[in-house]
Amino acid sequence: MSKKNKIYWFEGVTEKGVKSLLTDENSKFRWLRPQRNRRILVGLMVVGFIALAMGSYWPTFKTNLNLSNGSSVVIYSVTAIFVIFAVLVGYLFLRVSVRGIGDAPDELLDERQIRVRDTSFRYAYYAMGYLIAVLLILMLSGPELKLFQPEGNDGSYVIIAVLFAFSSMPSMVLAWRERDI
């Protein structure tokens, strides 16, 4: 008995989903495929990560901008929801633009795609190592961040941004490096 749609739990994908991304020439996503557009998308993702991480410094911004409590809650809530939604949509577009190669298991890819994916993972890990070094330097020299604080700078948005960056970095590197996907 053969399975119609195998689920790859570790990668978080299904066989049909990966095969449809690899073979689909859907015209509504064709604009995502050129390298220039993929690089723009990577740049927007980086801006989204930075904006998301800056949510940790909202109390400092609120004090510097002299916002009242009522307006600050509305601005903070709308901005946080918009930025998180924009990063999620950007990640979905990024996956489509690289045809899901960054998340696909070995058995669904050919040798060239496996090699491209693996080198993208290597460069992504290098980039994330540098990001962690920069974050450590900022933690030592920047404003104090504490986790889950009702008052003061809450570092949870930095953690969320780093988690988003870790999950999307291989696809970002793949989108940046590859000429034709």
Side-chain angles (χ1 to χ4, degrees):
M1 183 172 158
S2 66
K3 293 186 176 182
K4 298 287 185 199
N5 191 16
K6 185 176 179 183
I7 298 173
Y8 296 92
W9 293 101
F10 186 70
E11 290 87 359
V13 296
T14 62
E15 184 176 8
K16 280 185 182 178
V18 171
K19 284 184 178 180
S20 72
L21 281 174
L22 289 172
T23 60
D24 189 22
E25 289 298 329
N26 194 339
S27 62
K28 69 179 177 180
F29 295 120
R30 189 169 296 158
W31 63 275
L32 287 172
R33 304 277 192 242
Q35 187 179 29
R36 179 178 175 269
N37 292 349
R38 285 184 280 126
R39 285 185 173 184
I40 290 170
L41 186 59
V42 168
L44 290 174
M45 289 288 291
V46 169
V47 169
F49 296 149
I50 291 169
L52 185 58
M54 295 310 291
S56 291
Y57 296 104
W58 175 251
T60 304
F61 291 142
K62 184 173 73 170
T63 304
N64 292 339
L65 296 174
N66 294 326
L67 295 175
S68 67
N69 281 341
S71 65
S72 70
V73 170
V74 172
I75 292 171
Y76 178 70
S77 301
V78 170
T79 304
I81 290 170
F82 175 75
V83 169
I84 290 172
F85 182 72
V87 169
L88 284 173
V89 169
Y91 175 68
L92 294 175
F93 279 157
L94 187 66
R95 271 192 78 223
V96 169
S97 74
V98 296
R99 299 184 182 268
I101 294 173
D103 301 324
D106 286 348
E107 64 189 66
L108 299 178
L109 300 174
D110 62 21
E111 294 84 14
R112 180 193 170 278
Q113 291 169 333
I114 291 171
R115 183 162 173 89
V116 165
R117 186 206 50 203
D118 290 347
T119 57
S120 294
F121 267 92
R122 189 179 79 212
Y123 289 127
Y125 289 134
Y126 289 155
M128 295 314 294
Y130 290 126
L131 176 70
I132 294 298
V134 167
L135 286 175
L136 288 173
I137 290 169
L138 288 176
M139 284 178 53
L140 294 173
S141 62
E144 182 180 9
L145 288 176
K146 293 184 179 180
L147 292 177
F148 312 114
Q149 295 295 316
E151 298 295 324
N153 295 333
D154 179 21
S156 60
Y157 284 101
V158 170
I159 291 174
I160 293 169
V162 168
L163 289 175
F164 275 137
F166 266 99
S167 66
S168 61
M169 188 59 75
S171 293
M172 290 171 67
V173 170
L174 185 64
W176 190 269
R177 288 183 63 224
E178 283 302 303
R179 188 173 304 270
D180 295 319
I181 293 182

